[in-house]
Amino acid sequence: MVFTQQRLTRYLLILALLARLLVGILAVRGSFLLGEGRMQAALAGRMMEGKGFSIPSSMLNPDIPPERSNPLIERTFRFYREVDGFYGVMRPERPTTFLVPGYAVFLCGVYSVFGVGNHLAVRLVQLLMGMATVALGLALARRFLTGRRYALAGVFIALDPFELYYEAIPATQALFSLLFVGGLLLSLRLINRPGPKVGLAAGLVWACAFYVRPAALPVFLWTIPVALAARRLSRASIAGCAIAVAAFFAAMAPWMARNARVSGEPRLLPTQGGVNLWEAVGRPLTGHFRDEALGARTLYGPTREYWMERVRDRELAEFPDFRNEPEWVRDSVLYSRLSRFVARNPVYYLHTMALRFAELFKPFPLNAFSPLYILAGLAGFFWVLLFAGGGSILAALRGGAEGIFLATTVWGYSLMHLLTVSGTPHRVAIDFPLIVLATMGLAHSWKRLRLARAGSAAT
């Protein structure tokens, strides 16, 4: 039976729906962790109480049942209390610029309908949103793939285990994936058929994505030169890009004005660069690394043992003894210290980047999870690692400006995370583009294999 692309898309959406119904049943049974949902729920709760974008003091004194407590958790929160800052930086009961408010606003919307703190409602709403994410992912695939190639990519987009998992967790990834893939499609449209309307839509969608995760910013900024170059500075491309930039930064104006009132400076980026750099580079060499989770010990334990006595100026890797400094001062101090440490230990920094590469692209969890999680990760993502690189080259060589944009965006986004912060949660947004690129690489490899076999048979 031959399926039209429209009919195939319909079947793929049904497959995605069935997968999300199954995950929804598991979510109702409490099968998924809370993740960063506790922090975001606290922010949303404070906003609904009219106390602004801040965390309560209770965040530093969590009520953890004895069966869930462990030395790492106890020591971590003791450290937070000593420096009076969550993550060592966020000050309780004070307006924060450490995180962007988009996901907390989304939670406020869900809570206003289903009740404050209803994490199950958040999970189910995100799973429904996942259908829109899959639809956008399939639209992305159709721009580069047809026939069986589209069908293959579509199955993995519909059943991507990492996307499904993070849709079932009250964390930023599900909402960000939806906005990120939507932004990619609008960027491709701006590159291919620029104009004021698509420029306006692209600027606003990327702004919404930034409000959820600031990693959207460099992708949006990269859209502009590619779109201008693709149309050789045509009037339509100039107008579309100008409107996109204007819309994006107009949407940023309230956030920057609010930050100016809070900190005295109209900040765009959140104050988390310093602590991210410390977590990635400094923490493995300090006493904070004791009793770490299995995944961290597996990756960073040997590195810590090798470099502990070899790095220069190791005191710069220690977390400062903060007391009453605001979070933007803490961020600045951490960034300055760790930047100097990296400059004096470049080989160690490159070593940690290699570990972050493994952390970003690993197909299965390194911590203790069900074997089903490991099998799902291997089946759903391992092949992507093998063929995405080749597919990226093909997209850049054969896909014109759109192919170049897709390939450079995926690997530029990856490099951005390899510099300071990494892990599966940061990669999920590019899973669908990676699947598209990997399918291109796989199809090309299969074609070359068939030609080689045909040549061998002929001789």
Side-chain angles (χ1 to χ4, degrees):
M1 180 181 295
V2 178
F3 294 113
T4 64
Q5 193 175 68
Q6 184 178 11
R7 190 174 184 183
L8 178 58
T9 299
R10 189 159 56 244
Y11 285 137
L12 290 171
L13 289 172
I14 292 173
L15 182 63
L17 179 60
L18 292 175
R20 279 153 182 81
L21 287 174
L22 174 61
V23 173
I25 292 171
L26 294 175
V28 170
R29 297 175 60 184
S31 300
F32 298 98
L33 301 174
L34 187 57
E36 65 176 277
R38 188 175 290 105
M39 165 65 72
Q40 295 288 350
L43 291 167
R46 298 273 292 182
M47 293 171 70
M48 295 191 73
E49 293 172 1
K51 296 180 180 178
F53 193 53
S54 61
I55 62 171
S57 297
S58 59
M59 287 295 296
L60 303 186
N61 297 276
D63 184 16
I64 302 174
E67 65 273 11
R68 295 188 179 180
S69 184
N70 60 60
L72 174 60
I73 292 177
E74 293 175 1
R75 191 176 66 255
T76 296
F77 280 95
R78 184 165 61 248
F79 158 59
Y80 291 169
R81 289 190 290 270
E82 287 174 356
V83 298
D84 191 35
F86 202 88
Y87 300 130
V89 176
M90 292 179 70
R91 307 298 306 283
E93 308 294 340
R94 304 187 189 188
T96 182
T97 59
F98 185 81
L99 297 170
V100 283
Y103 189 73
V105 171
F106 164 74
L107 289 183
C108 287
V110 177
Y111 290 166
S112 64
V113 176
F114 298 100
V116 176
N118 191 334
H119 298 306
L120 178 59
V122 174
R123 299 175 198 268
L124 298 179
V125 168
Q126 288 184 169
L127 286 165
L128 286 175
M129 285 169 36
M131 290 299 300
T133 309
V134 169
L136 293 174
L138 294 176
L140 179 66
R142 287 195 298 272
R143 297 186 76 97
F144 297 92
L145 304 167
T146 58
R148 294 178 180 178
R149 300 179 185 187
Y150 171 63
L152 176 64
V155 168
F156 282 98
I157 287 172
L159 300 179
D160 178 18
F162 298 104
E163 178 66 30
L164 283 166
Y165 179 80
Y166 284 102
E167 287 173 8
I169 294 179
T172 57
Q173 282 76 22
L175 180 57
F176 184 63
S177 289
L178 173 64
L179 294 169
F180 188 90
V181 179
L184 279 182
L185 284 169
L186 288 168
S187 290
L188 291 170
R189 182 72 181 272
L190 187 62
I191 291 167
N192 186 42
R193 298 183 65 183
K197 291 183 179 179
V198 69
L200 177 62
L204 292 178
V205 169
W206 280 119
C208 291
F210 175 91
Y211 274 119
V212 178
R213 293 185 79 92
L217 176 61
V219 180
F220 168 70
L221 294 178
W222 177 232
T223 301
I224 305 306
V226 176
L228 292 172
R231 294 293 155 183
R232 299 181 180 180
L233 296 175
S234 66
R235 289 184 179 180
S237 65
I238 292 173
C241 290
I243 290 174
V245 172
F248 181 89
F249 285 101
M252 292 298 104
W255 169 248
M256 297 176 69
R258 179 263 186 188
N259 291 344
R261 292 194 300 271
V262 169
S263 68
E265 296 181 22
R267 302 172 184 274
L268 173 61
L269 294 175
T271 53
Q272 57 182 243
V275 74
N276 285 342
L277 193 56
W278 178 76
E279 288 279 358
V281 180
R283 182 186 177 97
L285 298 175
T286 70
H288 294 282
F289 192 77
R290 288 178 301 159
D291 301 316
E292 279 286 357
L294 175 61
R297 295 199 309 271
T298 300
L299 273 179
Y300 288 91
T303 303
R304 170 187 168 89
E305 293 179 10
Y306 179 82
W307 285 103
M308 183 67 78
E309 303 302 328
R310 289 178 169 85
V311 295
R312 299 172 57 192
D313 301 312
R314 186 158 62 88
E315 67 278 2
L316 292 174
E318 295 291 341
F319 197 91
D321 188 22
F322 290 128
R323 282 295 174 265
N324 198 40
E325 300 85 354
E327 61 187 34
W328 49 91
V329 172
R330 297 182 178 207
D331 178 67
S332 177
V333 170
L334 280 167
Y335 193 83
S336 175
R337 286 170 61 94
L338 270 299
S339 296
R340 283 182 285 149
F341 178 76
V342 167
R344 295 170 191 180
N345 299 279
V347 178
Y348 166 74
Y349 180 64
L350 292 174
H351 192 159
T352 62
M353 280 189 66
L355 298 179
R356 286 192 292 278
F357 182 88
E359 202 171 5
L360 188 65
F361 290 104
K362 64 183 185 297
F364 50 81
L366 296 178
N367 290 314
F369 275 86
S370 164
L372 292 176
Y373 285 74
I374 297 174
L375 292 175
L378 287 171
F381 196 75
F382 183 73
W383 70 280
V384 174
L385 302 178
L386 299 178
F387 296 103
S392 300
I393 296 172
L394 290 171
L397 293 177
R398 302 177 182 178
E402 292 180 271
I404 291 172
F405 175 77
L406 184 66
T408 53
T409 292
V410 165
W411 297 110
Y413 179 94
S414 301
L415 177 61
M416 173 178 62
H417 284 88
L418 295 179
L419 293 175
T420 57
V421 60
S422 201
T424 305
H426 306 284
R427 194 211 64 227
V428 171
I430 59 170
D431 272 10
F432 289 0
L434 278 170
I435 289 170
V436 172
L437 294 173
T439 303
M440 296 174 70
L442 175 61
H444 180 76
S445 299
W446 180 249
K447 181 179 179 180
R448 293 295 298 269
L449 178 62
R450 290 180 63 187
L451 290 173
R453 287 181 175 177
S456 299
T459 58

